[in-house]
């Protein structure tokens, strides 16, 4: 099965051989016209010069910035998001102003809000309420730029509360019920597979609800063809099921990034 969904390169996992602001141009040289990033700065509210340099790197490369993570603490690392962390609410809210500014300049409309790990000594109910209120704040702040807040189940830590598509969809439903219509599931086929979801069933039943798709093969999180996931069949099924957005290439190349695109020509 084949599909015609467009690809966007996650420049936080690909082209890591290069400094962050050189990666958009590398993606363009590799034949892509769209990129996405995790939060590319150390702090939640970087200075104007840092932001200007990042935006210039996108513009100078001639690519579209299709997606951006909201501030997620140390990533990769021990935080894996701050959406649910009561002690970082102000940091998260301050980040929204910066993100909205980048969105106005780049046209970006997809914003991944990573939930964050459970913290010792904090009631899970407080975590979940904090996550909901932060999501509502993000949805309101980004609505003006046509933005969608994405909620992503991820693998790799039992302390991350959203592991399956069902858990992610339940949180999205809670946010929507609370008044945020611009919140949607980010379906990362690698994470869902690792966490035991029947990815084909998730795609069959919910593709039209996806706010974004990301892919990597499993096991290993390498490029398509390096593992056992039928990624092209899943993408074809997603398109047939009503998904029409970008597909984020969020994999860890098994060699040099530029050498990892052979599957596109296969």
């Amino acid at each position: 099965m084949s599909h015609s969904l467009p690809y966007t390169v996650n420049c936080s996992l690909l082209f890591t051989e290069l400094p962050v602001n050189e990666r958009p141009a590398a993606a363009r040289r590799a034949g892509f016209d769209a990129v996405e990033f995790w939060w590319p700065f150390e702090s939640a509210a970087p200075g104007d010069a840092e932001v200007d340099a990042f935006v210039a790197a996108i513009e100078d490369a001639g690519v579209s910035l299709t997606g951006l993570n909201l501030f997620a603490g140390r990533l990769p690392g021990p935080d894996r998001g701050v959406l649910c962390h009561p002690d970082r609410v102000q940091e998260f809210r301050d980040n929204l102003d910066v993100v909205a500014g980048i969105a106005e300049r780049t046209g970006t409309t997809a914003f991944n809000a990573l939930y964050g790990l459970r913290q010792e000594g904090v009631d899970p109910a407080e975590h979940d309420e904090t996550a909901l209120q932060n999501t509502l704040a993000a949805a309101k702040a980004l609505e003006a730029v046509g933005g969608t807040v994405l909620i992503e189940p991820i693998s790799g830590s039992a302390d991350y509360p959203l592991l399956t598509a069902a858990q992610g969809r339940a949180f999205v439903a809670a946010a929507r019920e609370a008044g945020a219509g611009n919140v949607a599931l980010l379906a990362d086929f690698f994470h869902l597979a690792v966490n035991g979801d029947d990815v084909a069933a998730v795609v069959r039943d919910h593709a039209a609800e996806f706010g974004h798709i990301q892919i990597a093969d499993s096991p290993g999180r390498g490029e398509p063809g390096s593992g056992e996931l039928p990624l092209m069949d899943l993408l074809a099924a997603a398109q047939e099921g009503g998904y029409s957005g970008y597909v984020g290439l969020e994999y860890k190349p098994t060699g040099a990034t530029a050498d990892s695109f052979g599957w596109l020509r296969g």
Side-chain angles (χ1 to χ4, degrees):
M1 295 175 68
S2 61
H3 70 90
S4 58
L5 297 172
Y7 292 113
T8 183
V9 178
N10 190 293
C11 287
S12 294
L13 274 188
L14 282 82
F15 296 109
T16 56
E17 306 93 335
L18 300 170
V20 166
N21 288 344
E22 293 181 19
R23 297 174 196 174
R28 188 75 182 107
R29 288 193 298 271
F32 297 94
D33 60 10
V35 298
E36 63 182 21
F37 277 85
W38 297 349
W39 185 242
F41 309 103
E42 288 291 327
S43 67
D48 291 346
E50 283 186 89
V51 173
D52 289 347
F54 175 71
V55 171
I58 300 293
E59 293 174 344
D60 292 348
V63 295
S64 298
L65 180 64
T66 59
L68 187 66
N69 278 23
L70 302 183
F71 177 69
R74 290 164 292 179
L75 182 72
D79 291 326
R80 314 205 82 186
V82 299
L83 193 68
C84 74
H85 291 177
D87 58 342
R88 305 191 81 167
V89 169
Q90 190 59 53
E91 206 174 0
F92 181 82
R93 301 294 175 93
D94 290 344
N95 178 240
L96 297 178
D97 290 336
V98 183
V99 171
I102 292 173
E104 287 175 353
R105 297 171 67 180
T106 62
T108 316
T109 57
F111 304 95
N112 187 10
L114 288 175
Y115 206 89
L117 303 180
R118 294 293 191 203
Q119 296 171 300
E120 202 170 325
V122 179
D123 188 332
E126 184 180 1
H127 273 148
D128 296 339
E129 180 62 21
T130 300
L132 180 60
Q133 293 306 318
N134 275 336
T135 300
L136 298 179
K140 183 176 180 179
L142 297 171
E143 186 176 26
V145 294
T148 297
V149 179
L150 300 172
I151 301 299
E152 181 185 16
I154 64 174
S155 61
S157 177
D159 290 332
Y160 192 85
L162 306 180
L163 300 176
T164 66
Q167 290 170 329
R169 291 180 62 248
F171 184 79
V172 168
R176 287 175 168 266
E177 188 175 338
N182 55 331
V183 180
L185 181 73
L186 194 167
D188 184 308
F189 293 170
F190 166 78
H191 288 308
L192 296 180
V194 169
N195 286 341
D197 259 337
D198 181 338
V199 183
V202 172
V203 170
R204 181 193 66 220
D205 296 340
H206 304 294
E209 304 169 28
F210 295 165
H212 186 41
I213 290 174
Q214 291 176 331
I215 62 169
D217 216 330
S218 178
R221 204 178 186 181
E223 62 268 17
S226 62
E228 300 170 359
L229 279 182
L231 290 169
M232 297 306 110
D233 290 347
L234 291 169
L235 292 175
Q239 186 171 26
E240 185 177 341
Y243 181 77
S244 58
Y246 279 94
V247 174
L249 304 182
E250 196 193 42
Y251 60 78
K252 296 178 180 179
T254 55
T257 300
D259 297 332
S260 73
F261 302 119
W263 58 275
L264 278 169
R265 299 180 288 274

